[in-house]
Amino acid sequence: YDPDAGYSTITSVSGAQPGAILAVTHRAGIAAVHIRPAGDWRAASLLEETARTLHAHGVLVEHLAASRMGLTATVEHSDAVGTACRDLLSVGQVQVTTDQALLCVVGNFAEDATALHPALGEALAAFRVTPLLPHPSAHARLFLAAEADAPTAVQTLHARLVEPSDTANGRA
């Protein structure tokens, strides 16, 4: 980060201190597709079938995760989501939640893909968010939130978590 030069340089090595939170953003227009498979099932086959079906309908998948309870895919919301979900009824119960947003917190987090930064938990307590696990990298934490709450959540998180580190680093 070099404000005097008018640019930032992106490299493969972060100069940020461990635990530093550097940015918060969101992406609106997201839907969450929850699939509870019928009968006995294997996560790998459900993941494969879901990804194949969504792809066949041109639905962009943002995040995909499976557990013993089923599978959740966060997708770019479009008319194709409904058609794809009708095709997914062959694997189990399908529930779609629309008007969602992905919150992305960028920082220098631990390698543990399920760890939640302590300050994030506290700052997110005022909002109904769902962490999307596993996290995609050691530098991003994703959360699903109501689309209407996302702008306020981003502003709140930025004010509480990013601005204090900007001031501490002389970047006010």
Side-chain angles (χ1 to χ4, degrees):
Y1 182 76
D2 190 350
D4 295 330
Y7 62 86
S8 296
T9 302
I10 299 172
T11 66
S12 61
V13 177
S14 171
Q17 297 296 320
I21 295 176
L22 307 172
V24 182
T25 188
H26 80 283
R27 182 160 181 232
I30 300 296
V33 178
H34 308 283
I35 303 168
R36 184 176 295 248
D40 232 7
W41 66 281
R42 296 189 188 278
S45 61
L46 182 60
L47 282 166
E48 181 182 346
E49 176 69 17
T50 301
R52 187 177 51 71
T53 301
L54 292 172
H55 178 74
H57 288 280
V59 176
L60 177 63
V61 176
E62 297 288 340
H63 190 270
L64 192 61
S67 72
R68 290 187 315 150
M69 299 304 295
L71 178 140
T72 299
T74 55
V75 300
E76 188 175 84
H77 189 244
S78 68
D79 293 338
V81 172
T83 306
C85 287
R86 282 191 289 281
D87 287 353
L88 287 169
L89 287 172
S90 63
V91 297
Q93 296 175 341
V94 179
Q95 177 187 356
V96 179
T97 306
T98 58
D99 299 322
Q100 300 290 291
L102 279 179
L103 296 179
C104 182
V105 180
V106 179
N108 192 9
F109 302 112
E111 291 293 330
D112 181 355
T114 60
L116 180 62
H117 188 285
L120 273 177
E122 185 179 309
L124 287 169
F127 303 96
R128 292 188 56 197
V129 300
T130 303
L132 297 177
L133 303 171
H135 296 294
S137 80
H139 304 291
R141 296 294 182 256
L142 293 178
F143 302 88
L144 191 61
E147 191 168 357
D149 294 340
T152 304
V154 168
Q155 290 172 346
T156 300
L157 289 169
H158 191 274
R160 289 186 67 185
L161 303 173
V162 178
E163 289 175 13
S165 66
D166 283 350
T167 304
N169 292 323
R171 297 185 294 186

